[in-house]
Amino acid sequence: MPLAEAAAILNHFAIPRRDYAVLPVRHGLINRSYKVTDKATGKPRYFLQQIDHHIFKDVEGLMHNIKQVTAHFELLPNPPGHLTTVNSGDKNYYRSPAGAYWRLYPYVDGNTYIRAGDRQLATEAGRMFGQFLKALSGLPPGAMVITIPRFHDIDWRYQQFQASLGTAGKQRLRKAAWLIRLVEENISAVQKIYHNIVHHCPLRVVHNDTKLSNLLFDGQQRGLCVVDYDTLMPGYIPLDFGDAIRSLASTTVEDDPHTGRTFFNRQVFAAFTPAFIKALGNAITKAETSQFANSVPYMPFLMGLRMLTDYLNNDSYYTTRYAEHNYHRAANQLTLYSSGMALMPEMNKIVNKTVSALN
Ligand code: GN1
Ligand code: MG
């Protein structure tokens, strides 16, 4: 996308006509994002994104979901820190004649982290995601469009994986053989976890991509807001919990190629969990907290499986920066899964202790 084209897109949004500088920024694995700066003052003003409509096949539905959630937040007496879109005509996005989708947010000048490192950040992250989900708890799942069906459903992801085995090239199959074996050996245990969650927990509107890098913090590591609303959809709170732990409590980033460096940090888990549960308050049920520890190995397995499938499909979904990128991601996440399995009893104790202290 030439920058001049991205800059011209700004004319379609309801913002003051100024001379803006548009700079690409790396954010997430899917959409293209740009920081929009007012050239006269040098201040960042907006965050412009082109939504990848090959991956998000129902962009209208996705933007409808964002509207539902932001409108709901605005009615709350104490809304959580959140973003609101800038309008383009009567819509919260712009569709170009060529069929590209764009949206614009006012810029929130915050810091992001890809690793928690310390307990303070983990506690703040727990509070932020907990408050965000509590605020969402008043919105009925029926108000939302299911933009990516069966997004966190292991049965569906396993089917996609099996299909990729039939079409993958020999070299990638050989390289990933140990990961394929790990998946086959563990799939039934992981499917059980998922079926239990679905059976016991209410379907709710959740975030569905609660990684640490989707939180903005100020200079003192105080939370500003939760970002990335692409996957706001019906789902399960324990899976948002597990997904947050996946990035926060991992000792390294999700694409670290050295699997020996990848395991869960108990201290970060012990800091995040009480803050998350407390912030949810009476919005969370015992049936849900009883699934929290199970979701800790579940989410890295699910992500590892998706990354492995994408590796076998020659990287058709996630953005990759080098040939083995998806392979490294998958190896990392599936290693994290094993660490999560080993720590499950201990994590269960921490969750139970928190829940009984609050009662
Ligand atoms: C994708 O693009 P990004 O980084 O927001 C993915 C998530 C994964 C994540 C892995 C729609 O999110 O499910 O957790 O990569 N989103 C989609 O980092 O597939
Ligand atoms: Mg996302």
Side-chain angles (χ1 to χ4, degrees):
M1 164 64 50
L3 280 183
E5 205 176 319
I9 295 296
L10 291 175
N11 293 328
H12 299 280
F13 287 91
I15 58 173
R17 300 288 150 233
R18 299 257 163 76
D19 204 4
Y20 294 110
V22 178
L23 283 175
V25 286
R26 226 166 64 197
H27 179 88
L29 307 189
I30 296 170
N31 295 321
R32 285 167 199 259
S33 306
Y34 305 84
K35 182 174 172 172
V36 179
T37 303
D38 184 332
K39 277 190 185 163
T41 62
K43 281 203 178 132
R45 284 286 173 225
Y46 302 100
F47 188 69
L48 175 69
Q49 281 189 309
Q50 185 186 2
I51 309 159
D52 187 328
H53 60 277
H54 301 291
I55 287 195
F56 297 109
K57 296 198 166 59
D58 182 4
V59 180
E60 273 101 4
L62 183 160
M63 294 309 295
H64 161 89
N65 287 347
I66 295 182
K67 198 182 243 167
Q68 292 292 98
V69 167
T70 49
H72 169 71
F73 283 170
E74 263 129 54
L75 294 176
L76 297 177
N78 294 307
H82 64 279
L83 304 174
T84 32
T85 45
V86 176
N87 268 5
S88 172
D90 59 354
K91 294 198 164 65
N92 60 351
Y93 63 90
Y94 168 70
R95 184 169 186 264
S96 76
Y101 290 89
W102 295 85
R103 70 174 161 229
L104 191 70
Y105 291 110
Y107 195 82
V108 177
D109 211 355
N111 304 323
T112 53
Y113 297 86
I114 46 174
R115 249 188 300 186
D118 66 82
R119 297 173 56 97
Q120 190 203 327
L121 196 72
T123 307
E124 188 65 353
R127 185 189 64 76
M128 291 168 80
F129 279 134
Q131 281 181 352
F132 192 85
L133 289 169
K134 186 185 164 86
L136 284 179
S137 71
L139 191 60
M144 305 292 278
V145 175
I146 298 168
T147 52
I148 308 179
R150 306 179 70 181
F151 188 47
H152 284 160
D153 177 338
I154 194 72
D155 298 330
W156 169 233
R157 297 305 183 182
Y158 185 57
Q159 274 177 40
Q160 293 180 308
F161 162 74
Q162 284 178 313
S164 76
L165 289 178
T167 53
K170 278 209 182 82
Q171 221 187 331
R172 288 199 172 204
L173 278 171
R174 211 174 309 126
K175 173 116 186 149
W178 70 282
L179 296 173
I180 296 171
R181 209 174 315 120
L182 194 154
V183 167
E184 298 294 8
E185 283 168 6
N186 290 274
I187 187 69
S188 58
V190 178
Q191 283 172 319
K192 248 185 230 144
I193 294 181
Y194 182 69
H195 297 152
N196 255 322
I197 292 175
V198 171
H199 183 73
H200 291 291
C201 302
L203 190 68
R204 302 175 180 263
V205 180
V206 296
H207 184 280
N208 279 313
D209 191 9
T210 45
K211 53 186 175 190
L212 175 60
S213 58
N214 281 336
L215 295 177
L216 296 182
F217 296 88
D218 73 8
Q220 277 76 49
Q221 293 198 350
R222 280 181 309 230
L224 295 174
C225 66
V226 177
V227 301
D228 185 0
Y229 303 156
D230 286 335
T231 50
L232 283 167
M233 269 187 289
Y236 300 94
I237 290 185
L239 300 186
D240 268 11
F241 175 83
D243 207 15
I245 295 297
R246 181 179 77 83
S247 62
L248 266 136
S250 169
T251 44
T252 187
V253 289
E254 75 177 11
D255 58 355
D256 188 333
H258 303 286
T259 51
R261 289 201 285 242
T262 310
F263 46 92
F264 277 115
N265 175 330
R266 300 173 172 76
Q267 275 77 37
V268 173
F269 181 88
F272 179 89
T273 302
F276 182 80
I277 295 177
K278 255 183 235 159
L280 272 157
N282 58 11
I284 185 96
T285 63
K286 274 232 171 83
E288 289 167 304
T289 50
S290 73
Q291 298 298 327
F292 277 12
N294 299 342
S295 73
V296 171
Y298 181 80
M299 288 310 289
F301 188 95
L302 181 93
M303 293 302 172
L305 181 61
R306 290 176 60 197
M307 290 153 174
L308 177 59
T309 303
D310 201 36
Y311 178 67
L312 297 174
N313 287 337
N314 290 325
D315 315 316
S316 59
Y317 187 91
Y318 293 114
T319 303
T320 49
R321 287 198 304 281
Y322 58 94
E324 308 292 88
H325 205 167
N326 269 323
Y327 167 79
H328 286 145
R329 287 179 180 134
N332 176 301
Q333 291 296 293
L334 291 169
T335 304
L336 196 57
Y337 156 77
S338 305
S339 165
M341 276 309 228
L343 282 174
M344 234 157 73
E346 201 179 316
M347 291 181 169
N348 240 327
K349 270 193 208 144
I350 296 173
V351 172
N352 290 340
K353 217 171 100 190
T354 307
V355 173
S356 39
L358 288 174
N359 286 326

